[in-house]
Amino acid sequence: ALCLLGGRRLVRVRDAGDGASDAVRDLLALPEQSGFVVIEAADLPASSSLRKLIEAAPAAMALPCYHDEERQLDGLVRALLREHGLSLDADALAFLESHLGGDRGVTRAEIAKLALYMADRPGEPVSLADVAAVVGDSSALGVEDALVACLLGEAARLDRALARLLAEGEAPGRLI
């Protein structure tokens, strides 16, 4: 397809795995590329042919994005709260952690937003109501989650997914 605004094209490949290795090898063998290709993959082991190919290619770059595990997230959240001088009761902390995903940038931003919200009450413990009023639900959820819920006939899960996606500004036409 032609680029709408002119210039170089960008092709995005999602959920790639070792099955894409031959195509990527052919792409990397081209003497010149007229566009960009972004390949997204889940956790690829060090033995993955796709991972090895991209990491070894001078014309490609691998950018690993690691999600924080629950234990790591807990430690990060507690360290950031201390850094901002915030203290939370157990319910507020549990709510906060359940509404943060594995993205450190989002976690830092949400806690900074909470600190700003509490700036006029220094030293006061952060309540569950404070956290609920400020922190967005950043746990991983995408259109695919709504689709899976729909295909499995899980109406309640679908309602939650659609409500969250619409609240985050997802275009209704895309959801349909």
Side-chain angles (χ1 to χ4, degrees):
L2 295 175
C3 183
L4 176 66
L5 303 173
R8 296 178 78 180
R9 296 180 197 150
L10 172 75
V11 175
R12 180 178 176 194
V13 179
R14 298 179 73 190
D15 300 322
D18 287 339
S21 295
D22 290 339
V24 171
R25 187 175 294 107
D26 292 344
L27 178 67
L28 291 170
L30 294 173
E32 189 174 316
Q33 309 224 353
S34 61
F36 298 96
V37 178
V38 175
I39 301 171
E40 296 178 14
D43 294 331
L44 296 177
S47 62
S48 163
S49 62
L50 180 62
R51 179 176 168 178
K52 286 179 180 178
L53 180 64
I54 291 174
E55 288 176 344
M61 182 177 86
L63 179 64
C65 300
Y66 302 107
H67 284 281
D68 289 319
E69 299 297 325
E70 188 173 337
R71 190 176 75 249
Q72 294 168 323
L73 181 63
D74 181 58
L76 175 65
V77 167
R78 290 177 189 277
L80 290 170
L81 291 171
R82 277 192 306 275
E83 186 178 300
H84 288 285
L86 299 174
S87 63
L88 281 73
D89 62 34
D91 289 340
L93 182 61
F95 181 88
L96 176 65
E97 289 179 348
S98 72
H99 285 73
L100 297 173
D103 186 316
R104 286 182 181 222
V106 172
T107 297
R108 288 180 184 281
E110 291 296 329
I111 292 177
K113 188 168 55 169
L114 183 60
L116 182 61
Y117 181 80
M118 296 298 295
D120 65 338
R121 298 182 274 160
E124 185 177 317
V126 180
S127 70
L128 176 59
D130 294 326
V131 175
V134 175
V135 174
D137 192 345
S138 302
S139 56
L141 176 71
V143 176
E144 295 81 8
D145 295 309
L147 181 60
V148 168
C150 179
L151 292 172
L152 294 176
E154 297 176 0
R157 180 176 164 197
L158 176 61
D159 285 344
R160 285 191 308 273
L162 290 174
R164 182 184 298 166
L165 287 164
L166 290 169
E168 291 176 356
E170 186 65 56
R174 181 167 184 250
L175 296 176
I176 291 171

